[in-house]
Amino acid sequence: MDRRQFLASTAGLALSGLAAPAIAQSRTKVRVGYLHTVAVDGQIWTGMDRGSFEKQGLDLELRQFNTGLEIFQALIGGSLDVLATGASIASFPARGQGKVFLMNDIEVATAQLWVRPDMGVKTFADLKGKRIATTTGTTAHVFLDRALRANKIDPKEVELLNQSMPSAVTSFISGAVPAVALWVPFNITVRDKLPGAIKLTDASAYYPQAAIIGGWVASNTYYDGNKESLSKIIKGWADANDYIIANSDEAMQALQKKHYSQVPLADVMEQFKAQKMFSSRDWIKYYADGTVAKWLQQSTDFFMANANVKDFTPVDKYFDPSLYLKAIG
């Protein structure tokens, strides 16, 4: 039967009330964990809405988490195949727990340090001996360490209060601590509920010398046996990523309407502008020339030093740029 005969026969079946034969197309299911912030899930939701992953024959089963620690625990425990998150992609894989295979963006200004002048903190010098709330082992923690050192303050000269980010922000707003290192969109809560607070700095002050990078990690077993599926994830991601870059306003409006309905569009746009994205083609040079590896190593060195881990997996063992270069190059 040629194409015209097939179309004619299916049309006839439809007119007669009989179901036309289904054309089966199997898709590969992939269990994906993510954090619900534009810098992490912007490409995911854009790709889902555009059919970018479906076109690659993938069926992404999405599961939301609140922190990098939670998401990696799920990956290590076997309930996820891959994940997308922030700076913690340079922590757990350095302990042999997962393989990095795809970057999302650089979190240029997603991490921020807020202080309360009414509690005696207006400058970095005022932070000495003070408590700072944050979530350790995260993008905010990496940023805070770099910001303190850049301003001649030894991190040991402050006291860290380790809490979940919602709790850390609550502690700051309630006056339990005079400073908080957070990531967007929690800055919106601070700005709205504590107008007297000031943003002392954000991660953009330390870019590109100290870039904080976020992206995708596969479990060790999934990485070993599913290179083709990982390549398809990369291709689907690239379609969504490049669409966002070329159509930023439309993409953010769609994200806000469908996936961030409780967040005003202006705040979604603020989240978007706090990250630095590159086109899928532009990323090639950063993968190929070792820049991505350098950025990852900077974060790894911080995490391992902070945890006093001396024997850890180097970047060239947990990060594989070849998958991206083959898929996009």
Side-chain angles (χ1 to χ4, degrees), residues 103 213 283 286-287 289-297 315 319:
M103 301 302 121
I213 197 167
W283 269 114
Y286 296 121
Y287 279 77
D289 68 8
T291 299
V292 170
K294 175 185 174 183
W295 287 335
L296 286 170
Q297 188 67 60
V315 170
F319 167 54

Side-chain angles (χ1 to χ4, degrees), residues 5 44 84 256 269:
Q5 289 174 314
I44 292 176
Q256 189 274 334
M269 289 299 298

Side-chain angles (χ1 to χ4, degrees), residues 134-157:
T134 195
T135 307
T136 60
T138 65
T139 297
H141 188 196
V142 177
F143 150 72
L144 176 61
D145 183 86
R146 290 174 179 169
L148 291 172
R149 293 180 189 277
N151 287 274
K152 306 296 188 292
I153 296 178
D154 188 322
K156 294 178 182 178
E157 294 181 286

Side-chain angles (χ1 to χ4, degrees), residues 11-52:
L13 285 169
L15 289 172
S16 65
L18 299 174
I23 302 175
Q25 182 182 4
S26 61
R27 296 208 301 269
T28 302
K29 290 186 178 181
V30 185
R31 299 171 300 169
V32 182
Y34 70 97
L35 303 184
H36 193 38
T37 178
V38 172
V40 173
D41 68 6
Q43 290 99 332
I44 292 176
W45 288 119
T46 299
M48 295 291 284
D49 295 340
R50 284 174 51 79
S52 305

Side-chain angles (χ1 to χ4, degrees), residues 14-94:
L15 289 172
S16 65
L18 299 174
I23 302 175
Q25 182 182 4
S26 61
R27 296 208 301 269
T28 302
K29 290 186 178 181
V30 185
R31 299 171 300 169
V32 182
Y34 70 97
L35 303 184
H36 193 38
T37 178
V38 172
V40 173
D41 68 6
Q43 290 99 332
I44 292 176
W45 288 119
T46 299
M48 295 291 284
D49 295 340
R50 284 174 51 79
S52 305
F53 300 107
E54 186 177 356
K55 291 173 186 174
Q56 294 297 324
L58 299 176
D59 180 8
L60 302 190
E61 296 183 347
L62 301 177
R63 182 178 168 193
Q64 181 180 330
F65 292 82
N66 294 317
T67 67
L69 174 61
E70 293 175 9
I71 203 170
F72 267 102
Q73 287 175 333
L75 186 80
I76 297 163
S79 61
L80 296 176
D81 299 316
V82 301
L83 62 80
T85 187
S88 57
I89 64 168
S91 177
F92 292 90

Side-chain angles (χ1 to χ4, degrees), residues 224-272:
D224 290 338
N226 296 274
K227 298 293 199 317
E228 183 178 353
S229 293
L230 295 178
S231 179
K232 290 178 178 179
I233 290 174
I234 292 169
K235 291 176 181 178
W237 172 93
D239 177 76
N241 180 78
D242 292 353
Y243 174 81
I244 292 174
I245 291 175
N247 307 275
S248 300
D249 290 344
E250 294 90 338
M252 290 306 109
Q253 289 169 9
L255 274 178
Q256 189 274 334
K257 183 177 181 180
K258 297 178 181 179
H259 307 290
Y260 283 82
S261 58
Q262 302 303 312
V263 181
L265 179 59
D267 293 339
V268 172
M269 289 299 298
E270 183 175 330
Q271 287 193 53
F272 171 68

